[in-house]
Amino acid sequence: MQNQTSPLILTFGVADPVGAVGVHADLAVFHALGCRGLSATTALLVGDSARVEDQQHVDPDWVADQARMVLEDVPVQAFKVGALDHLEHVSTLAEIVSDYPDAPLVLDPFGSQLPPPGDEDDPEELLTVLRQLLVPQGTLLMLSEVELARMAETWRDLGNGETMADDAEHLIDLGCEYVLVTGTNAGSGQRANTLYSAEGVLRHDKWQHLPGPFVGAGGTLSAAIAAYLAHGLAVPEAVERAEQYTYQTLLHAQRYGMGRFVPNRFFKI
């Protein structure tokens, strides 16, 4: 009998039957990178590797109870928050992670694979609450250029000339330590990720675009960043190593059925 020695990470996200996205995908990444994963489920998906047709949100009190019970039992070295499209989930998660300020928090709150939000939540209000409650607590916020622009609409007039760097700076000024903008077009068939901090651009990493189509690539990257942070790496190094790992999972991706390619998180095994 031995006590757990690998870093423990608590991830919040959806339950995907295919395991391509959400908490099941995160747990696979954590395990592949020498961590152990714990999870709190925010929604149940109905879908396959091609698409998600529907979802059932988990009651926010149930989400809180899942997390609180685990956190009263074990110490965690990092948190990851996945796709969010429910207003009450944002406030619930913000309250939970606020009690653990020393644990790195990786935010990857946008999920293109999820169905459009229902009538119960206003998309702009959701982005505003996300920006006000969760982003200031983040160690790293990961989002695409398009997603960054969508969030920026909640605080500025898009006609007054701000750049992607200005938008990232605004989020850092709110309290988020790092902003990682992913998948920008770098020309010549390349894509780039740019890591910002209060010092400006820390990394600008390019790679050859892979055609796919993939499902779960972004979630693989954010989960890998959380895993390397749980091992104690500094954010810039964690991002670099997570990018290398994610690229390999895509090179070795597998098609389960008739849908998109799923990253092979255990390609090294």
Side-chain angles (χ1 to χ4, degrees):
M1 299 289 290
Q2 295 182 342
N3 289 332
Q4 172 66 34
T5 57
S6 301
L8 292 168
I9 306 171
L10 176 58
T11 180
F12 298 88
V14 300
D16 172 22
V18 177
V21 299
V23 295
H24 297 102
D26 290 345
L27 297 179
V29 173
F30 300 157
H31 181 72
L33 296 179
C35 299
R36 294 293 178 267
L38 313 165
S39 64
T41 302
T42 58
L44 307 175
L45 301 187
V46 177
D48 56 22
S49 61
R51 64 195 180 281
V52 174
E53 290 190 349
D54 203 357
Q55 66 176 323
Q56 176 65 55
H57 289 113
V58 175
D59 184 281
D61 289 339
W62 279 61
V63 175
D65 288 346
Q66 290 178 74
R68 292 292 188 193
M69 193 160 186
V70 167
L71 291 168
E72 288 171 4
D73 180 41
V74 299
V76 300
Q77 280 68 53
F79 292 97
K80 180 198 165 180
V81 173
L84 293 172
D85 65 352
H86 192 294
L87 199 61
E88 291 186 44
H89 284 166
V90 176
S91 57
T92 296
L93 269 55
E95 182 178 352
I96 292 169
V97 299
S98 68
D99 291 336
Y100 303 88
D102 295 332
L105 169 61
V106 176
L107 300 173
D108 183 13
F110 294 94
S112 59
Q113 74 281 356
L114 297 184
D119 296 333
E120 69 273 11
D121 289 332
D122 176 68
E124 184 170 344
E125 184 181 5
L126 183 70
L127 290 174
T128 299
V129 173
L130 177 67
R131 173 170 57 87
Q132 293 174 341
L133 297 184
L134 263 180
V135 168
Q137 302 187 61
T139 303
L140 180 142
L141 168 65
M142 192 183 98
L143 70 181
S144 70
E145 185 176 8
V146 172
E147 293 159 351
L148 177 59
R150 281 173 51 203
M151 182 173 281
E153 292 176 5
T154 65
W155 74 74
R156 67 170 172 83
D157 179 355
L158 294 179
N160 56 12
E162 278 89 346
T163 65
M164 184 171 75
D166 294 325
D167 294 337
E169 181 182 358
H170 176 86
L171 296 172
I172 291 168
D173 288 342
L174 292 177
C176 189
E177 295 181 49
Y178 299 85
V179 173
L180 179 64
V181 183
T182 63
T184 56
N185 191 332
S188 302
Q190 291 187 316
R191 295 290 187 269
N193 294 341
T194 306
L195 179 66
Y196 296 91
S197 75
E199 301 173 4
V201 175
L202 293 184
R203 303 191 59 88
H204 183 69
D205 300 315
K206 298 180 182 179
W207 71 95
Q208 195 65 33
H209 176 61
L210 299 174
F214 300 102
V215 57
T220 300
L221 177 59
S222 57
I225 293 171
Y228 285 120
L229 292 178
H231 278 295
L233 274 66
V235 170
E237 184 181 357
V239 168
E240 179 184 18
R241 294 185 63 173
E243 289 172 336
Q244 295 171 354
Y245 165 79
T246 301
Y247 192 75
Q248 290 298 316
T249 69
L250 299 180
L251 283 176
H252 296 84
Q254 300 169 322
R255 175 169 271 161
Y256 295 168
M258 297 180 289
R260 291 174 284 177
F261 287 94
V262 177
N264 180 3
R265 283 108 182 172
F266 297 103
F267 71 90
K268 293 184 288 188
I269 296 178

